[in-house]
Each structure stands twice: as structure tokens, then as C-alpha cells.
Amino acid sequence: HLHARALESLEHLNLPPVDRLARHAREANNNAAWCTYAEAAADAAREAGHDRSAVVTLLDVLTNGEHALDRKARLTRKLGEAAFFGATEMADLAGRVVGALRDLLADGGLSREELGEFGLLLGRMLWDLGEVRAARAEYEAALPDLQHRPDLAVRAMMNLAMPNAADCTAARHLDWLERAEQLIPKVDLDPFPVVNRPTVLLLLGEESGWAAISATTTPGGELGERRRVASGLT
């Protein structure tokens, strides 16, 4: 009862503290409010660069909340995005993120487009965890369902172009790179292909990789974009 009263009081503040609201809603057994405020708290943590906090919150909500498929998909998408850049630092959480993505993909209610998008997210997580062969399989499986998102298709192809698979020839990697470059004109303001292209070329022993580095600039933009550029340049 007291948690419900605290929730009602805090909701009327000009800047409601969403993390406290989530706690009071949960203790008051208000599942709908808890899910709403916990998601908002995870969003705030991501915007502040606190990826692990966002992942912990989203995993908790996905595991213990009650969700329709559309909300489950939205929360899982945010989980995969929050976990991606810090996958190698998530320790035991990374395996749980992979499990959440696989659980959603096995749900059976996703559209083809969503299957492609979440398959790519799963591939990215597996890639950062060092499970390269499994990641490449997810990328290839996702591509037919990413025709509506050329930006995501380019990401998958650029990762497939990366020469880190013992059973894939240099010619095959270059073929993936060429396919990605054909789609780049359809992608608006996404620096990922540009900053990854020099890496692929140089790892394959292509002299043109040096010129590609010289042509690479570091754009401004929102946090996610800047982090993608930094990841590629590193």
C-alpha cells in the first residue's frame, strides 16, 4: 500500500525519477507501471552510456514481467543494442542476452522483417563473444529478410567480409565487400561501412586499404553513431 502511495506521489513530479518509480511499482505489484518505468530507466541508462545498467534492467523486466509480443520484441531489441558494444564486458550477462534473443526468434510470431533484424542482433552478440562461425551463420540467415533495411544488410555483409573465418577464401570475403559497397549508396549517413572497409581491405592484403583510411572522416552525430565510428577506427 505504501509503495503504491509513493508511486502516485512521485508520478506528479516535474521530472519523475524513473528508477525509483520502477522500484515502487514493482513492490506495489503494478506490473504495467513497473514495465513502463523500468523501460524508461533503461533508456536513460543507455543515453548516459551506462550499458550494463540498462542490460541488467531489461533482462530483469523480460525475465519477470508479463509482455505481449510487441513489447517483448521492443524490449529485446533495446537489450540487444545496449549489450552490443559492451558484450565482452558483460560476463555472465552476455549469455543471458543471447538467450533472450534466441527465445524471441523462436516465438513464432515475428514477421520476416523482424526475423532478419533480430537475427542480425544475435549475430552481432555472438561475434563479440568470439563465436565467429555461429555469428556468420546468423548473418547469412538474416540477409534474405533484410531487404527492407539496406543499412542492416550492409552491416551483415561487412561483417561477413571480415577475414576471420578459416573456411572462407579471400575471394569470398572480397565478394561480400563488393556486395556491401553496392548497397552503400542506399544507406543514409551510416558511418559503419566506411570505417570498416579499410580494415577489411588491409587484412586481405589490398593496398587500396591505405587510401580508404585516408578517405575516412570522423563525423559528429548521436552517441551510437560516434561509438560505431570509434569501434571501426579502432
Side-chain angles (χ1 to χ4, degrees), residues 178-206:
E178 182 180 349
R179 290 178 62 181
E181 290 177 333
Q182 290 173 357
L183 279 181
I184 287 176
K186 299 181 180 180
V187 178
D188 294 330
L189 302 177
D190 189 341
F192 179 82
V194 179
V195 297
N196 274 53
R197 183 172 179 270
T199 303
V200 172
L201 290 170
L202 290 174
L203 287 172
L204 290 170
E206 298 290 328

Short mmCIF file of all heavy atoms in Angstrom, two decimals, residues 178-206:
data_model
loop_
_atom_site.label_atom_id
_atom_site.label_comp_id
_atom_site.label_asym_id
_atom_site.label_seq_id
_atom_site.Cartn_x
_atom_site.Cartn_y
_atom_site.Cartn_z
N GLU A 178 32.25 -6.37 -51.89
CA GLU A 178 31.70 -5.76 -53.10
C GLU A 178 30.18 -5.67 -53.02
O GLU A 178 29.59 -4.65 -53.40
CB GLU A 178 32.11 -6.58 -54.33
CG GLU A 178 31.62 -6.00 -55.64
CD GLU A 178 32.05 -6.82 -56.84
OE1 GLU A 178 32.90 -7.72 -56.67
OE2 GLU A 178 31.54 -6.58 -57.95
N ARG A 179 29.54 -6.71 -52.51
CA ARG A 179 28.09 -6.68 -52.38
C ARG A 179 27.65 -5.58 -51.41
O ARG A 179 26.65 -4.89 -51.64
CB ARG A 179 27.57 -8.04 -51.90
CG ARG A 179 27.71 -9.14 -52.96
CD ARG A 179 27.24 -10.48 -52.41
NE ARG A 179 25.82 -10.46 -52.03
CZ ARG A 179 25.18 -11.49 -51.50
NH1 ARG A 179 25.83 -12.65 -51.32
NH2 ARG A 179 23.91 -11.41 -51.19
N ALA A 180 28.42 -5.41 -50.34
CA ALA A 180 28.10 -4.36 -49.37
C ALA A 180 28.25 -2.99 -50.01
O ALA A 180 27.39 -2.10 -49.82
CB ALA A 180 29.00 -4.47 -48.15
N GLU A 181 29.30 -2.79 -50.78
CA GLU A 181 29.55 -1.49 -51.40
C GLU A 181 28.46 -1.13 -52.41
O GLU A 181 28.17 0.06 -52.62
CB GLU A 181 30.92 -1.49 -52.07
CG GLU A 181 32.07 -1.51 -51.06
CD GLU A 181 33.43 -1.58 -51.71
OE1 GLU A 181 33.52 -2.11 -52.85
OE2 GLU A 181 34.40 -1.12 -51.09
N GLN A 182 27.85 -2.13 -53.02
CA GLN A 182 26.77 -1.85 -53.96
C GLN A 182 25.53 -1.30 -53.24
O GLN A 182 24.73 -0.57 -53.83
CB GLN A 182 26.40 -3.13 -54.72
CG GLN A 182 27.48 -3.60 -55.70
CD GLN A 182 27.17 -4.95 -56.31
OE1 GLN A 182 26.16 -5.59 -55.96
NE2 GLN A 182 28.02 -5.41 -57.21
N LEU A 183 25.39 -1.64 -51.96
CA LEU A 183 24.24 -1.16 -51.19
C LEU A 183 24.50 0.16 -50.49
O LEU A 183 23.55 0.85 -50.09
CB LEU A 183 23.85 -2.21 -50.14
CG LEU A 183 23.00 -3.39 -50.59
CD1 LEU A 183 22.70 -4.30 -49.41
CD2 LEU A 183 21.69 -2.92 -51.23
N ILE A 184 25.77 0.53 -50.31
CA ILE A 184 26.11 1.71 -49.52
C ILE A 184 25.40 2.97 -50.01
O ILE A 184 24.93 3.79 -49.19
CB ILE A 184 27.64 1.91 -49.47
CG1 ILE A 184 28.26 0.84 -48.54
CG2 ILE A 184 28.00 3.30 -48.96
CD1 ILE A 184 29.76 0.88 -48.48
N PRO A 185 25.25 3.20 -51.34
CA PRO A 185 24.53 4.41 -51.78
C PRO A 185 23.09 4.49 -51.28
O PRO A 185 22.50 5.58 -51.25
CB PRO A 185 24.58 4.32 -53.31
CG PRO A 185 25.79 3.50 -53.60
CD PRO A 185 25.84 2.49 -52.49
N LYS A 186 22.52 3.35 -50.88
CA LYS A 186 21.14 3.34 -50.39
C LYS A 186 21.07 3.59 -48.88
O LYS A 186 19.98 3.65 -48.32
CB LYS A 186 20.48 2.00 -50.70
CG LYS A 186 20.39 1.68 -52.19
CD LYS A 186 19.70 0.35 -52.40
CE LYS A 186 19.60 0.00 -53.88
NZ LYS A 186 18.93 -1.31 -54.11
N VAL A 187 22.23 3.71 -48.24
CA VAL A 187 22.28 3.86 -46.79
C VAL A 187 22.57 5.31 -46.45
O VAL A 187 23.56 5.88 -46.91
CB VAL A 187 23.38 2.95 -46.19
CG1 VAL A 187 23.46 3.14 -44.68
CG2 VAL A 187 23.09 1.49 -46.53
N ASP A 188 21.73 5.90 -45.64
CA ASP A 188 21.89 7.32 -45.30
C ASP A 188 22.70 7.51 -44.03
O ASP A 188 22.34 7.01 -42.96
CB ASP A 188 20.51 7.96 -45.09
CG ASP A 188 19.70 8.02 -46.37
OD1 ASP A 188 20.32 8.12 -47.44
OD2 ASP A 188 18.46 7.94 -46.28
N LEU A 189 23.82 8.20 -44.16
CA LEU A 189 24.57 8.71 -43.02
C LEU A 189 24.96 7.63 -42.01
O LEU A 189 25.02 7.88 -40.81
CB LEU A 189 23.76 9.80 -42.29
CG LEU A 189 23.35 11.01 -43.14
CD1 LEU A 189 22.50 11.96 -42.32
CD2 LEU A 189 24.58 11.73 -43.66
N ASP A 190 25.23 6.44 -42.46
CA ASP A 190 25.70 5.39 -41.55
C ASP A 190 27.20 5.22 -41.76
O ASP A 190 27.63 4.78 -42.82
CB ASP A 190 24.98 4.08 -41.84
CG ASP A 190 25.28 3.01 -40.78
OD1 ASP A 190 26.28 3.17 -40.06
OD2 ASP A 190 24.51 2.05 -40.67
N PRO A 191 28.04 5.57 -40.77
CA PRO A 191 29.49 5.52 -40.96
C PRO A 191 30.06 4.12 -40.89
O PRO A 191 31.22 3.92 -41.23
CB PRO A 191 30.01 6.36 -39.78
CG PRO A 191 28.98 6.14 -38.71
CD PRO A 191 27.66 6.06 -39.43
N PHE A 192 29.27 3.13 -40.47
CA PHE A 192 29.81 1.79 -40.24
C PHE A 192 30.53 1.21 -41.46
O PHE A 192 31.67 0.76 -41.36
CB PHE A 192 28.70 0.86 -39.78
CG PHE A 192 29.14 -0.56 -39.55
CD1 PHE A 192 29.74 -0.92 -38.36
CD2 PHE A 192 28.96 -1.53 -40.52
CE1 PHE A 192 30.15 -2.23 -38.14
CE2 PHE A 192 29.36 -2.84 -40.33
CZ PHE A 192 29.97 -3.18 -39.12
N PRO A 193 29.91 1.20 -42.66
CA PRO A 193 30.60 0.62 -43.81
C PRO A 193 31.89 1.36 -44.16
O PRO A 193 32.88 0.75 -44.57
CB PRO A 193 29.58 0.75 -44.94
CG PRO A 193 28.27 0.98 -44.29
CD PRO A 193 28.59 1.71 -43.02
N VAL A 194 31.88 2.68 -43.98
CA VAL A 194 33.03 3.49 -44.37
C VAL A 194 34.23 3.18 -43.49
O VAL A 194 35.35 3.04 -43.96
CB VAL A 194 32.67 4.99 -44.30
CG1 VAL A 194 33.89 5.84 -44.67
CG2 VAL A 194 31.51 5.30 -45.24
N VAL A 195 34.01 3.07 -42.17
CA VAL A 195 35.13 2.86 -41.26
C VAL A 195 35.58 1.40 -41.24
O VAL A 195 36.71 1.12 -40.85
CB VAL A 195 34.79 3.34 -39.83
CG1 VAL A 195 34.54 4.83 -39.82
CG2 VAL A 195 33.60 2.58 -39.26
N ASN A 196 34.73 0.47 -41.64
CA ASN A 196 35.13 -0.94 -41.65
C ASN A 196 35.80 -1.35 -42.95
O ASN A 196 36.57 -2.30 -42.98
CB ASN A 196 33.91 -1.84 -41.39
CG ASN A 196 33.66 -2.01 -39.91
OD1 ASN A 196 33.56 -1.04 -39.18
ND2 ASN A 196 33.58 -3.24 -39.46
N ARG A 197 35.53 -0.64 -44.02
CA ARG A 197 36.08 -1.00 -45.32
C ARG A 197 37.61 -1.04 -45.31
O ARG A 197 38.20 -2.02 -45.81
CB ARG A 197 35.57 -0.03 -46.39
CG ARG A 197 36.03 -0.35 -47.80
CD ARG A 197 35.32 0.54 -48.81
NE ARG A 197 35.79 0.26 -50.16
CZ ARG A 197 36.82 0.87 -50.73
NH1 ARG A 197 37.48 1.81 -50.05
NH2 ARG A 197 37.19 0.56 -51.95
N PRO A 198 38.32 -0.03 -44.77
CA PRO A 198 39.78 -0.11 -44.76
C PRO A 198 40.31 -1.32 -44.00
O PRO A 198 41.30 -1.94 -44.42
CB PRO A 198 40.20 1.20 -44.05
CG PRO A 198 39.05 2.10 -44.20
CD PRO A 198 37.83 1.24 -44.20
N THR A 199 39.65 -1.69 -42.91
CA THR A 199 40.09 -2.85 -42.12
C THR A 199 40.03 -4.11 -42.96
O THR A 199 40.97 -4.92 -42.97
CB THR A 199 39.21 -3.00 -40.86
OG1 THR A 199 39.28 -1.80 -40.10
CG2 THR A 199 39.68 -4.16 -40.01
N VAL A 200 38.91 -4.31 -43.63
CA VAL A 200 38.74 -5.50 -44.46
C VAL A 200 39.80 -5.55 -45.55
O VAL A 200 40.46 -6.59 -45.76
CB VAL A 200 37.32 -5.53 -45.09
CG1 VAL A 200 37.21 -6.66 -46.10
CG2 VAL A 200 36.26 -5.68 -44.00
N LEU A 201 40.00 -4.44 -46.24
CA LEU A 201 40.96 -4.41 -47.34
C LEU A 201 42.39 -4.69 -46.86
O LEU A 201 43.13 -5.47 -47.47
CB LEU A 201 40.90 -3.05 -48.05
CG LEU A 201 39.64 -2.78 -48.86
CD1 LEU A 201 39.58 -1.32 -49.30
CD2 LEU A 201 39.55 -3.70 -50.07
N LEU A 202 42.78 -4.07 -45.76
CA LEU A 202 44.15 -4.26 -45.27
C LEU A 202 44.37 -5.68 -44.76
O LEU A 202 45.43 -6.26 -44.98
CB LEU A 202 44.45 -3.24 -44.17
CG LEU A 202 44.58 -1.79 -44.65
CD1 LEU A 202 44.74 -0.85 -43.47
CD2 LEU A 202 45.77 -1.64 -45.60
N LEU A 203 43.38 -6.25 -44.09
CA LEU A 203 43.51 -7.62 -43.62
C LEU A 203 43.61 -8.61 -44.76
O LEU A 203 44.20 -9.69 -44.62
CB LEU A 203 42.33 -7.99 -42.71
CG LEU A 203 42.34 -7.36 -41.31
CD1 LEU A 203 41.03 -7.65 -40.59
CD2 LEU A 203 43.52 -7.87 -40.49
N LEU A 204 43.07 -8.23 -45.90
CA LEU A 204 43.14 -9.08 -47.09
C LEU A 204 44.38 -8.76 -47.95
O LEU A 204 44.55 -9.32 -49.03
CB LEU A 204 41.88 -8.93 -47.93
CG LEU A 204 40.61 -9.53 -47.31
CD1 LEU A 204 39.38 -9.12 -48.10
CD2 LEU A 204 40.71 -11.06 -47.25
N GLY A 205 45.22 -7.84 -47.46
CA GLY A 205 46.45 -7.52 -48.18
C GLY A 205 46.25 -6.60 -49.36
O GLY A 205 47.11 -6.55 -50.25
N GLU A 206 45.14 -5.86 -49.39
CA GLU A 206 44.84 -4.98 -50.50
C GLU A 206 45.43 -3.59 -50.23
O GLU A 206 45.10 -2.94 -49.23
CB GLU A 206 43.33 -4.86 -50.71
CG GLU A 206 42.63 -6.17 -51.06
CD GLU A 206 42.98 -6.64 -52.46
OE1 GLU A 206 43.20 -5.78 -53.33
OE2 GLU A 206 43.01 -7.87 -52.68
#
